[in-house]
Amino acid sequence: MPWLRCSGRQPDGGGRPPEAMEGHAREVFCNDPACDKALRLNYCGNAISTTKYTVANFIPKSLFEQFRRVANVFFLIVACVSFSPLAPYRAVSIALPLVVVISATMAKEAVEDWRRKQQDVEVNNRKVDVYDGCSTFTSTEWKRLRVGDIVKVTKDEYFPADLLLISSSSEDGCCYVETANLDGETNLKRKQCLSVTSAVQGAHSFQKFKGLIKCEDPNEKLYSFIGTMYYEGSLYSLSPQQILLRGSKLMNTHYAYGVVVFTGHDTKVMQNATDPPSKRSKIEIRMDKIIYILFGVLILISCTGSIFFGLKTKEDIHHGMISRWYLRPDKTSLLFDPERASLSAFFHFLTGLMLYGCLIPISLYISIEIVKVLQSTFINQDQDMYCTEVDQPARARTSNLNEELGQVNTILSDKTGTLTCNSMEFLKCSIAGVDYGWGNTVVDKVLCTGTRDGEIEFQPEASSVNSHANGGVLRRNVKGFSFIDDRLMSGSWVNERHHDLIQMFFRVLAVCHTAIPVVDSKYDDISYEAESPDEATFVVAARELGFKFYEKTQESISLHEFEPSLGRMVDRTYKILCTLLFSSSRKRMSVIIMTEEGQILIFCKGADSAIFSRLVKDEQIYVPATRDHINEYSESGLRIMVVAYRMVNEEEFNIWYEEFSKASNSVSCNRDEMVDAAAEKIERDLILLGATAVEDRLQKGVPECIDKLAQAGIKIWVLTGDKLETAINIGFACHLLQKDMKQITITLGELDDIASTKGDEEVFKKDSYESVARQLREAQSEANILKRSSVCCALVIDGNSLVFALSRVLERSFFDLASNCVSVICCRTSPKQKALVTRLVKRNTGKTTLAIGDGANDVGMLQESDIGVGISGVEGMQAVMASDFAIAQFRYLDRLLLVHGHWCYRRITAMICYIFYKNITFGFTLFWFEVHASFTAQPAYNDWYIACYNVVFTSLPVIALGVFDKDVSSRLCLKYPMMHQEGVQNVFFSWPRILCWMINGVFSSVIIYFFSSSAIVDQAFRKDGRVAGLDVLGITMYTCVVWTVNCQLALYINYFTWIQHLFIWGSISFWYVFLVVYGLFPPSISTSAYWAFLEAAAPSPVYWTATLAAVVMALLPYFAYKSFRSAFSSDCCQDVRGKCHEDGLSNPAEK
């Protein structure tokens, strides 16, 4: 019987390779990579490069990156113009700070890129055995591999390229791989070669091995592969089962042979190595706007000065009379020409842009980058977010969004693996309309007893309930199996009325899967590696109830099962004819097998919506009872899987398999759709056996964490693929829903495929749309009434309704309704719907959204949100790799947001406001001096004073503020979660607060200038009676500025460490050291600073008195504001600090 071989062979092979379709035109000449046709294809080499730069483009590309920032462009222009006569300072003093900042950033980029380069070199120079075309395998570097080469990979080695598995050390041609480097999953995956190539073993066998592969072009889809292999005159379909991806590791197999299909940057792992979507925090966006405002101020004061300069210059020669003779207007230049005053005013404008350029903080960006990196380090090293169970700390995968954590308004969370453990326990089942299983779930306990915070007892994975007396014998604990029912245990199921259906039920669980048995010979035990926790649980349950799966080959699966007619365990082997794998669109898996008696059966398991619509009509007496049991299980928060089967006659299978083979062997972009369509024709008229119910328990601390986040005013949405009843009851268990909440449910009921095809599809869609629209209107009216009555409400909506609620017409109504609810649960949602809901919330709220998930189906949601948080769970690391922050369990989210988010938000906003304050203070002292000097563009300070202001004398205290300051301790952040609303409402970076800092800077500059000039100018300053010159005035003003801005920072800081003391007082002290050392240089270098401090300023009491008076007066406005606010106004933080003082805690920022 030809159909017994399920090798993928096309029945009408025809002896010709298939025609290539668009997007599927890749040709691989197996074992002949140097043939003329292969060379003409010119595929890329196997060397990879993950660096951002090369030696040739580093300087231009890095400079381009730096000068994309508008502030850097401005300073570049100023530096270039400084070499002209327009410059008020020496060119080197203007260019050097820019060079230092740009060089530091470029050096950081170079170091990071060099590390990437070193990693690339190490990978490219790894060795692998390659067939030389004659009779031996030679060791060759990875980078020298070509498409079509035959390679040999041994145990525990990584695959150097994307390979087609030819054969392995196993007789049946299978091998096991670990894909942790690709998706983070550590469970082994079974790969299977074509049966026709499994005998190709050893170097001599490959001398005659030739073949042609036609397959899809390079793409990023890790779990799909479309192609065919033309070999020995026949055509064979290829699937992901035969593909070994670069970066995965060969495990539990001595060796494997493969032919290179994709190399280098064409491999799937490299195709996935795209940059994540660029995310910028709202603080950073507003910061850019402030810089634009400062540019406007810069242009305004430069224009003001140039206008007054032009008017004054024009009056210097009036009717032949010279007014300011000491300027010698009779000897003019373009920069000062009373006859061409307008042109002189224009040049003065350009000079003013350089003179007041210090208004724009040159060190702003690099200071913020340094601070954010250090903040991320604190997050990574937080011991309170370290999970000992899985040995995972919290990780900040990007430092760009630290402050955004303190502004989160809405959380969108996955359920399975995020709120729950994703560690399944087989708890109950329904077989032939009979309910089995006595265990209680956490949800049952919560609903029955009203358990609140801290009262839920979380059972360990190997639950202690498994230890119970069964016939006087204490049964061992088994991970994944918490089933208790003496009617089925220890072979008692043979006494049940429908024991034949029970036998078939557990046989389906033991056969219909893709799990791999792992035999532990030391303890004579078998464990299972499965692609999902559910699948492993079903196989374990079947084993514990008498159907032990122990061996699997390419064409068969073997069980050790109990045979009622013999009264003992027997070994049975079932021939696998075809496997129809599970997918998110199919929601089911099927296996077609042949028994030892020659009977063909199809075993099928899947979601209730996928299975019930495919049952044989009018002959299912157990359907009503099973549906009732499914509803009960869902209300208990259990995950449901329906099990069915049917017998298939030989003729039907042969006809179907021919069509299925054609679909499988097609090389086109719609092959998956063709395969699914063919599968539909065999997965019909099924006989219902029953349903399984497994519990995915809540993670430890989830209810408490959700309570904390809710108290912080954060809205929480749960997006899950579970049934509506399951989602609701999990919502109660984790305190997302409360009994005093009014629950609003929007659903289209149990809409399955058959319901949608009973009538015209367009009519069905129209009726569904109208139903959802009506429910939304009614729900909105009800929510408005409840809101006026101060009654909280929660929204629950299913996936079918969500399809229409997310339409362009209804999405606003849906969002308005959801906004009036404190909690929202979307059930039966697809990955795409999760991303669409996230986009809707982000777009319409205008506030920060955070998405959290643990699986590949959550990646779209994480990337769409403002902040993506990945949980390193059972489903692998895809979510973590696409996230901005990673944590081990959901319970750490409250600390990440309420502690680190609060601190980072306050630190970054204070830092930015302070940087602008200190630059305005400094810049406007120059402007006031210009007013006093008739806008002659004469700088008040020595040029190196100006050059060192941002880079030397005020940079380190700012960094200390951004890294170490905190208003309250972490314990108080968690005790009073409402402080989080300061970030949500952007209290510390609102426009009024920013404006107040700017006004404070202008006021400080006025006090400093006028106090200094009044004390220094026009009176005896030195002992010999001489007045002070510009050099002394500049030193006095600059000293006042340095003292004022650093003391202002000291007044603002809430929590002092020795580092902050060192940086603040050290910066002030260093100014005096600089004055002494710089003043000792020759006048050609130090110019106006030559001996100015030691000889003139330091000996004079006027200098020290003026400094003290100016600093005190400049600090008075902020001190008065702070005192007034403490006495007559308060914010959340002040209230908390007040409570702490009442409780006797002197410093709330201390632990």
Side-chain angles (χ1 to χ4, degrees), residues 931-1101:
V931 173
H932 185 80
S934 298
F935 297 100
T936 55
Q938 172 67 45
Y941 306 120
N942 182 284
D943 46 7
W944 281 105
Y945 297 174
I946 298 175
C948 294
Y949 180 74
N950 281 307
V951 180
V952 179
F953 302 126
T954 60
S955 58
L956 292 180
V958 175
I959 293 175
L961 169 69
V963 175
F964 298 107
D965 189 43
K966 56 182 177 181
D967 52 346
V968 292
S969 67
S970 59
R971 183 182 65 82
L972 293 177
C973 286
L974 295 173
K975 185 177 181 180
Y976 302 101
M978 273 307 293
M979 286 193 296
H980 179 78
Q981 283 299 309
E982 292 177 337
V984 175
Q985 298 167 16
N986 206 10
V987 171
F988 294 100
F989 208 58
S990 61
W991 284 114
R993 196 176 188 93
I994 295 168
L995 187 60
C996 286
W997 275 101
M998 290 182 170
I999 294 172
N1000 188 27
V1002 174
F1003 190 82
S1004 296
S1005 70
V1006 170
I1007 293 176
I1008 289 171
Y1009 174 73
F1010 287 104
F1011 261 80
S1012 300
S1013 60
S1014 299
I1016 301 297
V1017 180
D1018 298 333
Q1019 57 185 306
F1021 184 80
R1022 304 195 184 200
K1023 291 181 180 180
D1024 56 6
R1026 286 184 295 168
V1027 296
L1030 177 60
D1031 52 350
V1032 175
L1033 177 62
I1035 288 175
T1036 307
M1037 289 171 55
Y1038 199 96
T1039 303
C1040 293
V1041 170
V1042 171
W1043 270 99
T1044 299
V1045 297
N1046 281 289
C1047 290
Q1048 175 76 68
L1049 184 62
L1051 282 176
Y1052 180 84
I1053 287 177
N1054 296 290
Y1055 179 67
F1056 269 101
T1057 64
W1058 67 267
I1059 296 177
Q1060 288 159 312
H1061 281 295
L1062 175 65
F1063 285 173
I1064 292 174
W1065 312 123
S1067 295
I1068 296 173
S1069 301
F1070 188 70
W1071 158 240
Y1072 290 111
V1073 174
F1074 174 82
L1075 272 178
V1076 173
V1077 175
Y1078 183 52
L1080 296 177
F1081 281 87
S1084 59
I1085 297 175
S1086 59
T1087 62
S1088 62
Y1090 182 68
W1091 280 87
F1093 179 70
L1094 291 176
E1095 195 174 73
S1100 173

Side-chain angles (χ1 to χ4, degrees), residues 770-1018:
E770 291 176 351
S771 174
V772 172
R774 175 181 51 78
Q775 291 183 70
L776 286 174
R777 288 193 301 270
E778 295 173 353
Q780 184 64 62
S781 300
E782 184 179 6
N784 291 334
I785 296 173
L786 293 171
K787 189 175 182 179
R788 288 193 292 270
S789 305
S790 299
V791 176
C792 295
C793 57
L795 174 64
V796 182
I797 183 170
D798 65 13
N800 291 323
S801 303
L802 202 57
V803 172
F804 301 99
L806 292 175
S807 64
R808 184 168 298 179
V809 178
L810 294 181
E811 66 175 10
R812 187 68 207 185
S813 299
F814 167 61
F815 175 77
D816 291 340
L817 172 60
S819 299
N820 287 329
C821 301
V822 295
S823 302
V824 180
I825 297 178
C826 302
C827 50
R828 292 292 197 190
T829 53
S830 66
K832 184 178 180 181
Q833 285 178 322
K834 289 183 178 183
L836 290 174
V837 170
T838 305
R839 182 185 303 171
L840 175 70
V841 175
K842 181 175 73 171
R843 185 176 65 239
N844 286 281
T845 60
K847 295 184 178 180
T848 303
T849 59
L850 180 147
I852 181 170
D854 73 315
N857 60 336
D858 302 317
V859 169
M861 175 175 71
L862 299 183
Q863 293 183 337
E864 188 65 48
S865 62
D866 293 307
I867 304 173
V869 177
I871 289 183
S872 46
V874 180
E875 291 187 26
M877 300 289 284
Q878 293 114 312
V880 168
M881 291 187 288
S883 67
D884 305 302
F885 297 88
I887 54 178
Q889 293 189 352
F890 186 88
R891 71 175 187 265
Y892 301 120
L893 187 61
D894 59 353
R895 183 171 180 85
L896 182 65
L897 301 187
L898 305 184
V899 177
H900 289 284
H902 176 76
W903 286 346
C904 290
Y905 167 74
R906 287 197 58 137
R907 289 166 177 170
I908 290 293
T909 54
M911 176 183 174
I912 295 172
C913 288
Y914 173 76
I915 287 175
F916 290 128
Y917 157 79
K918 72 181 182 66
N919 280 64
I920 289 173
T921 300
F922 183 62
F924 268 86
T925 56
L926 288 167
F927 178 71
W928 305 131
F929 178 80
E930 278 296 287
V931 173
H932 185 80
S934 298
F935 297 100
T936 55
Q938 172 67 45
Y941 306 120
N942 182 284
D943 46 7
W944 281 105
Y945 297 174
I946 298 175
C948 294
Y949 180 74
N950 281 307
V951 180
V952 179
F953 302 126
T954 60
S955 58
L956 292 180
V958 175
I959 293 175
L961 169 69
V963 175
F964 298 107
D965 189 43
K966 56 182 177 181
D967 52 346
V968 292
S969 67
S970 59
R971 183 182 65 82
L972 293 177
C973 286
L974 295 173
K975 185 177 181 180
Y976 302 101
M978 273 307 293
M979 286 193 296
H980 179 78
Q981 283 299 309
E982 292 177 337
V984 175
Q985 298 167 16
N986 206 10
V987 171
F988 294 100
F989 208 58
S990 61
W991 284 114
R993 196 176 188 93
I994 295 168
L995 187 60
C996 286
W997 275 101
M998 290 182 170
I999 294 172
N1000 188 27
V1002 174
F1003 190 82
S1004 296
S1005 70
V1006 170
I1007 293 176
I1008 289 171
Y1009 174 73
F1010 287 104
F1011 261 80
S1012 300
S1013 60
S1014 299
I1016 301 297
V1017 180
D1018 298 333

Side-chain angles (χ1 to χ4, degrees), residues 1117-1150:
Y1118 180 77
F1119 186 79
Y1121 164 79
K1122 200 169 183 179
S1123 301
F1124 176 84
R1125 189 172 178 82
S1126 299
F1128 302 104
S1129 179
S1130 66
D1131 54 27
C1132 186
C1133 179
Q1134 286 180 323
D1135 292 340
V1136 171
R1137 294 173 71 89
K1139 292 178 182 178
C1140 293
H1141 286 300
E1142 291 174 6
D1143 296 338
L1145 185 60
S1146 60
N1147 191 347
E1150 294 179 350

Side-chain angles (χ1 to χ4, degrees), residues 146 238 398 421 434 529 652 714 719 880 888 960 963 1044 1119 1137:
R146 299 168 298 177
L238 303 176
T398 177
C421 298
V434 179
E529 292 279 357
E652 179 188 359
I714 300 175
L719 313 177
V880 168
V963 175
T1044 299
F1119 186 79
R1137 294 173 71 89

Side-chain angles (χ1 to χ4, degrees), residues 50-350:
T50 60
T51 59
K52 185 177 181 180
Y53 306 103
T54 64
V55 175
N57 70 14
F58 171 71
I59 292 178
K61 190 173 181 180
S62 182
L63 286 175
F64 173 76
E65 291 291 332
Q66 299 308 313
F67 289 110
R68 290 173 65 183
R69 293 169 169 172
V70 64
N72 288 344
V73 173
F74 167 76
F75 285 111
L76 176 64
I77 295 172
V78 169
C80 293
V81 178
S82 67
F83 289 91
S84 72
L86 295 173
Y89 318 119
R90 285 175 293 182
V92 64
S93 66
I94 296 179
L96 188 59
L98 176 65
V99 171
V100 169
V101 171
I102 297 298
S103 299
T105 309
M106 289 178 66
K108 168 179 161 288
E109 292 278 332
V111 170
E112 292 177 351
D113 216 48
W114 175 253
R115 290 172 181 166
R116 287 191 287 265
K117 177 67 175 177
Q118 293 297 98
Q119 292 173 351
D120 292 343
V121 170
E122 189 273 328
V123 170
N124 289 332
N125 289 323
R126 289 178 182 172
K127 299 295 183 68
V128 67
D129 292 335
V130 181
Y131 187 63
D132 61 4
C134 299
S135 58
T136 59
F137 281 86
T138 58
S139 182
T140 306
E141 295 169 340
W142 280 23
K143 63 185 178 183
R144 301 188 186 281
L145 286 183
R146 299 168 298 177
V147 172
D149 275 335
I150 303 294
V151 300
K152 179 183 180 180
V153 180
T154 56
K155 183 180 179 182
D156 294 331
E157 287 185 347
Y158 291 98
F159 297 110
D162 288 353
L163 310 177
L164 174 71
L165 179 61
I166 300 299
S167 61
S168 72
S169 56
S170 300
E171 292 182 2
D172 61 350
C174 74
C175 70
Y176 300 98
V177 300
E178 181 189 83
T179 60
N181 282 351
L182 306 181
D183 53 21
E185 296 185 13
T186 55
N187 55 296
L188 301 184
K189 295 179 175 60
R190 188 175 190 269
K191 298 293 183 176
Q192 182 70 57
C193 71
L194 297 175
S195 59
V196 72
T197 64
S198 61
V200 183
Q201 296 275 347
H204 294 286
S205 301
F206 283 103
Q207 285 184 321
K208 298 180 180 179
F209 179 78
K210 300 288 180 182
L212 175 63
I213 298 173
K214 285 184 176 287
C215 64
E216 62 187 11
D217 292 332
N219 61 71
E220 75 285 356
K221 299 175 182 176
L222 289 174
Y223 307 108
S224 71
F225 181 81
I226 299 173
T228 56
M229 182 176 181
Y230 185 69
Y231 178 65
E232 293 184 344
S234 297
L235 196 63
Y236 301 89
S237 66
L238 303 176
S239 70
Q241 196 69 15
Q242 288 89 45
I243 300 301
L244 308 171
L245 299 181
R246 177 183 178 129
S248 54
K249 182 192 288 188
L250 184 65
M251 303 287 288
N252 293 4
T253 310
H254 294 300
Y255 60 83
Y257 295 104
V259 58
V260 177
V261 179
F262 297 114
T263 52
H265 289 272
D266 286 345
T267 58
K268 290 184 180 290
V269 66
M270 294 304 296
Q271 290 283 310
N272 275 275
T274 56
D275 292 331
S278 177
K279 296 181 179 180
R280 297 186 69 201
S281 70
K282 294 176 175 58
I283 299 297
E284 191 174 343
I285 294 171
R286 181 165 288 187
M287 181 181 73
D288 288 345
K289 295 178 180 177
I290 299 173
I291 291 178
Y292 292 134
I293 292 174
L294 289 182
F295 272 121
V297 172
L298 173 61
I299 293 172
L300 177 63
I301 62 176
S302 298
C303 284
T304 303
S306 64
I307 291 171
F308 278 98
F309 175 78
L311 294 174
K312 196 69 174 175
T313 301
K314 192 173 183 179
E315 295 173 356
D316 278 337
I317 299 180
H318 187 65
H319 299 299
M321 299 296 292
I322 299 176
S323 57
R324 293 187 295 181
W325 55 269
Y326 50 88
L327 296 178
R328 296 303 301 272
D330 54 324
K331 291 185 178 181
T332 60
S333 66
L334 287 176
L335 303 181
F336 176 64
D337 188 354
E339 300 295 334
R340 290 182 291 179
S342 298
L343 183 60
S344 296
F346 173 72
F347 287 127
H348 185 277
F349 170 75
L350 298 179

Side-chain angles (χ1 to χ4, degrees), residues 380-448:
N380 297 341
Q381 295 180 350
D382 189 342
Q383 292 296 314
D384 290 325
M385 291 198 294
Y386 172 76
C387 183
T388 55
E389 292 92 333
V390 294
D391 190 26
Q392 287 283 349
R395 280 184 292 157
R397 292 172 50 82
T398 177
S399 60
N400 295 336
L401 304 172
N402 295 346
E403 69 275 18
E404 201 89 333
L405 292 171
Q407 295 185 282
V408 172
N409 180 65
T410 307
I411 294 175
L412 300 106
S413 174
D414 175 43
K415 182 190 77 69
T416 304
T418 303
L419 301 178
T420 60
C421 298
N422 204 10
S423 177
M424 309 301 173
E425 294 287 329
F426 189 90
L427 202 63
K428 297 183 179 184
C429 61
S430 172
I431 308 174
V434 179
D435 178 24
Y436 295 99
W438 301 335
N440 289 323
T441 67
V442 172
V443 173
D444 290 332
K445 296 174 184 176
V446 172
L447 295 179
C448 294

